[in-house]
Amino acid sequence: MSDIVSAVVDHWWLIFVFGGAIGGAARAVGAWNERRAQRRLERFRIKQETKVAVAQAQSQGRVDAESVQRELQRAVAAHQAADDRWFAYEIDLSTILDYPMLVDMREPLTVAFHRARGRADLLRPTGESASSPAAVEQYRDAVHDYSTALAVAEDEAHRRKRGDFDRADQQRLTRAQRLLDLASNDAASPQERQQAYRRARRELDGLIDLPAAGAAELERNLQLALGSGDD
């Protein structure tokens, strides 16, 4: 041990020769360790940011899908409301005679309404298209056009009523309306109802065309009534 101590004492001056190199090496090692730690931190930061971005994208996707479905539900509800308004006229044959313009296909507003109605029906999304934002948007716009066209035609029909018909034709409409009321009256005999319906059709022949759905429903009820009467 004394020999080692003596050697160190005898060569103390070597510290000045190698001290700089040793210090530089130590600093280099420290810098490398620091850079490695920084790279680890950077990789961790990137990884965390990626996770956050993926989570946000997934969340946004869910939000977008939910928004599309809410928009579709609103459009379907608006579509049904417009249909209900029209079906109220289509089924009630007596009422439609108060506003005959709604079934007069010579009227541009009536044609526009029926065309818009058919387009809304055609564009209603089904299957995969029900989740397509573009398809839902197109359907929503078509429903809006349908509802608007119906409202415009309805307002004009209510304003004009039977004003487009001369006195004789207005009298025919009035007689046909009374006959249709009788044909729909369950208190009348089946034969009376059937005869009233036939007379109403003759009054309207060449004047207006009754809505097909309402006429078919009334004819079906008359057939049931006649069958019951025969029994």
Side-chain angles (χ1 to χ4, degrees):
M1 175 63 71
S2 60
D3 293 338
I4 295 174
V5 173
S6 297
V8 171
V9 172
D10 291 339
H11 298 86
W12 60 269
W13 51 272
L14 291 175
I15 295 174
F16 297 100
V17 177
F18 296 105
I22 294 171
R27 286 193 298 273
V29 170
W32 180 81
N33 286 333
E34 184 177 353
R35 287 195 299 271
R36 183 174 64 174
Q38 289 176 348
R39 285 196 297 269
R40 286 178 178 174
L41 290 173
E42 182 66 15
R43 285 196 298 270
F44 177 78
R45 184 185 63 80
I46 293 173
K47 184 177 181 180
Q48 292 300 111
E49 289 180 350
T50 301
K51 288 182 178 179
V52 171
V54 169
Q56 289 177 341
Q58 291 174 342
S59 175
Q60 187 62 41
R62 287 192 295 271
V63 170
D64 290 344
E66 292 171 358
S67 298
V68 169
Q69 291 308 301
R70 285 195 297 270
E71 191 68 25
L72 176 58
Q73 291 171 3
R74 284 193 291 266
V76 168
H79 194 171
Q80 187 61 54
D83 277 346
D84 290 343
R85 281 165 53 198
W86 164 240
F87 291 154
Y89 294 107
E90 191 176 35
I91 297 300
D92 190 347
L93 300 182
S94 179
T95 299
I96 199 68
L97 296 186
D98 283 329
Y99 315 108
M101 195 200 87
L102 289 174
V103 292
D104 188 351
M105 296 306 290
R106 296 169 300 181
E107 290 288 340
L109 292 178
T110 304
V111 172
F113 144 58
H114 285 285
R115 183 181 293 120
R117 176 177 173 235
R119 186 169 184 269
D121 289 338
L122 182 64
L123 292 177
R124 183 167 183 162
T126 58
E128 294 183 359
S129 64
S131 59
S132 168
V136 170
E137 180 179 2
Q138 191 176 31
Y139 170 61
R140 179 202 63 196
D141 292 344
V143 169
H144 178 267
D145 291 343
Y146 165 34
S147 181
T148 301
L150 172 58
V152 171
E154 190 178 26
D155 288 346
E156 183 64 11
H158 283 218
R159 184 186 70 81
R160 288 159 61 171
K161 295 185 178 180
R162 299 175 183 175
D164 295 334
F165 297 88
D166 61 25
R167 183 178 181 84
D169 287 342
Q170 289 188 30
Q171 290 175 346
R172 289 173 61 188
L173 288 172
T174 299
R175 288 194 297 270
Q177 192 172 43
R178 287 200 298 264
L179 290 166
L180 287 174
D181 287 339
L182 177 58
S184 302
N185 188 352
D186 293 336
S189 70
Q191 290 75 19
E192 288 176 329
R193 296 175 63 187
Q194 184 74 20
Q195 184 180 17
Y197 179 65
R198 289 173 179 169
R199 289 178 57 193
R201 295 302 299 251
R202 286 197 297 269
E203 289 285 358
L204 297 174
D205 187 30
L207 199 58
I208 66 169
D209 293 325
L210 291 175
E217 178 68 14
L218 180 54
E219 289 170 7
R220 186 182 70 85
N221 291 337
L222 290 175
Q223 290 298 323
L224 290 175
L226 285 172
S228 300
D230 292 340
D231 291 343

